[in-house]
Amino acid sequence: MLVTGHTGFKGGWLCLWLTMLGANVRGVALPPGAGPSLFSSLGLAELVDHRIADIRDQAAFRAETEDFPADIVFHLAAQSLVRLSYEDPLGTLGTNVMGTATVLEQVRRMPSAKAVVVVSSDKCYDNKEWCWPYREVDPMGGADPYSASKGCTELVADCYRRSFFGDTGGCQLASVRAGNVFGGGDWSADRLVPDIVRANVSRTPVIIRNPASVRPWQHVLEPLGGYLQLGARLLAEQAADFAEGWNFGPSADAFVRVEDMARGMQAAWGRDAAPIEFGRRAGDPHEATMLTLDSSKARGRLGWRPQLSTGEAIGMTAEWYRAHAGGQEDMRAFTERQIAAYSGAPTHAPSYFEDTTICA
């Protein structure tokens, strides 16, 4: 099994879950950034076949993947920050658009590949900032470089699906879109939960830029469970029926304001939580104020559904960061326990996707 972006937040959680299910995983990504990282906290370099390559470099990516007989590829490598996309639009487009094309070009030349899951974002939709959740049939778009890059990622995936995969090439391709994902081990800049955690640890106020904005919040394990369910279908009979785009967003009660999410996180953190302040900085770029997803297709056709309330998701996240800040926990074991509790599975299952219930 091949995972791109394994040194990132979602990629790290996915790789640990896959190794718990018995998968042989090779990860290809850029090195983790400076400072704390989930990759280091989990000791993933010891668990997976860890390779470094930039997906924009076709020769480098091919060199790190051509000898590995992956049956399924999870493509998570991306530039994932809206604000950074304003600072580096060409890098964002290069990674998210041409990088995706590079990955898919290599996958279609892998004789072992039976399925590929391209991980996109809820930002791929042409956001009208209306109150209705977006469905998989809604048009792609994006007013900022990040959102545009994710819309283009979906177009590239659809192009390869129609031109080279499925009936044409045998390998099945699906793309997936999640909401605002959070959980332990995310240290990204300019993201709400990591910003809150840094403020709590340093005992400085946390600044909330857009308190009234509504987002589809969900714990990282929620969409990852959906990706695994979809991956299992793509490796089974009638796989072509599932080779399309899928939303894995939270339930309606998780479409909450940024301020409410921040206050919930501080309540879960406890009495030593940092104070919350509100204010935008001069030059802050535009960010959408309303974005929600309709995941009824995944519920109806895959039987997938969110398992956690917003309060439970926040509680798990605060527990992870407090354990990390305390410095006394084995964070790999701690994270494995959270995955096992969420999935209802034993900590180590005999083989991935087989005899294993994932978020039933």
Side-chain angles (χ1 to χ4, degrees):
M1 180 169 302
L2 178 65
V3 177
T4 72
H6 69 294
T7 58
F9 168 55
K10 286 177 73 176
W13 276 90
L14 178 61
C15 283
L16 183 61
W17 197 345
L18 287 169
T19 60
M20 290 170 63
L21 294 173
N24 176 25
V25 180
R26 174 175 290 187
V28 181
L30 295 175
S37 71
L38 182 68
F39 180 80
S40 298
S41 296
L42 300 182
L44 281 179
E46 305 164 6
L47 287 181
V48 305
D49 185 355
H50 169 51
R51 305 299 180 95
I52 297 297
D54 190 328
I55 60 171
R56 293 173 293 183
D57 186 334
Q58 188 173 7
F61 185 74
R62 182 186 302 118
E64 299 299 344
T65 56
E66 62 183 353
D67 65 331
F68 188 69
D71 53 355
I72 183 169
V73 178
F74 289 95
H75 171 45
L76 288 85
Q79 194 298 92
S80 59
L81 300 174
V82 174
R83 291 171 62 85
L84 181 57
S85 77
Y86 282 97
E87 300 171 13
D88 185 16
L90 291 181
T92 299
L93 292 165
T95 298
N96 295 352
V97 184
M98 291 308 299
T100 296
T102 294
V103 171
L104 295 180
E105 188 66 15
Q106 178 62 15
V107 171
R108 78 185 185 97
R109 288 172 165 76
M110 295 169 62
S112 61
K114 299 177 183 177
V116 54
V117 177
V118 175
V119 178
S120 179
S121 166
D122 58 346
K123 307 296 192 300
C124 69
Y125 292 108
D126 183 14
N127 189 2
K128 306 296 186 183
E129 303 210 28
W130 53 30
C131 60
W132 299 287
Y134 290 90
R135 300 176 300 167
E136 290 86 348
V137 295
D138 286 325
M140 302 292 109
D144 59 84
Y146 174 76
S147 300
S149 76
K150 287 302 185 178
C152 290
T153 295
E154 290 286 352
L155 295 176
V156 169
D158 188 55
C159 161
Y160 269 77
R161 176 168 44 234
R162 296 181 184 213
S163 299
F164 305 115
F165 294 129
D167 293 337
T168 303
C171 182
Q172 303 296 333
L173 187 156
S175 61
V176 294
R177 306 122 192 193
N180 271 45
V181 172
F182 64 95
D186 185 5
W187 300 104
S188 301
D190 292 318
R191 276 191 179 151
L192 181 67
V193 170
D195 284 351
I196 289 173
V197 171
R198 281 187 285 266
N200 289 342
V201 172
S202 64
R203 299 183 182 277
T204 58
V206 57
I207 308 300
I208 305 300
R209 298 188 304 271
N210 301 295
S213 295
V214 175
R215 296 287 186 269
W217 303 99
Q218 58 189 148
H219 192 275
V220 63
L221 290 176
E222 301 275 40
L224 292 184
Y227 304 168
L228 292 175
Q229 279 187 281
L230 178 60
R233 296 297 184 95
L234 293 173
L235 293 177
E237 295 181 4
Q238 298 179 318
D241 293 343
F242 301 92
E244 52 195 28
W246 297 84
N247 287 344
F248 292 100
S251 41
D253 61 0
F255 300 156
V256 301
R257 299 186 311 155
V258 168
E259 179 180 355
D260 297 330
M261 179 68 185
R263 294 196 184 282
M265 185 69 187
Q266 295 306 68
W269 188 270
R271 296 190 343 187
D272 56 342
I276 296 174
E277 297 180 1
F278 303 98
R280 290 177 60 84
R281 296 172 295 192
D284 277 349
H286 168 76
E287 296 183 49
T289 58
M290 184 73 179
L291 180 60
T292 57
L293 289 175
D294 181 335
S295 302
S296 55
K297 185 172 86 167
R299 293 169 185 251
R301 292 179 55 193
L302 293 175
W304 173 87
R305 59 186 54 83
Q307 304 294 302
L308 302 171
S309 69
T310 304
E312 290 170 332
I314 290 172
M316 285 178 63
T317 302
E319 287 173 4
W320 195 101
Y321 282 111
R322 290 204 68 121
H324 182 273
Q328 302 300 314
E329 289 278 357
D330 177 338
M331 293 312 298
R332 182 196 295 175
F334 188 94
T335 309
E336 286 182 334
R337 289 196 296 272
Q338 286 199 333
I339 293 172
Y342 173 80
S343 65
T347 304
H348 293 280
S351 60
Y352 73 94
F353 297 153
E354 296 181 5
D355 302 321
T356 302
T357 299
I358 302 170
C359 309

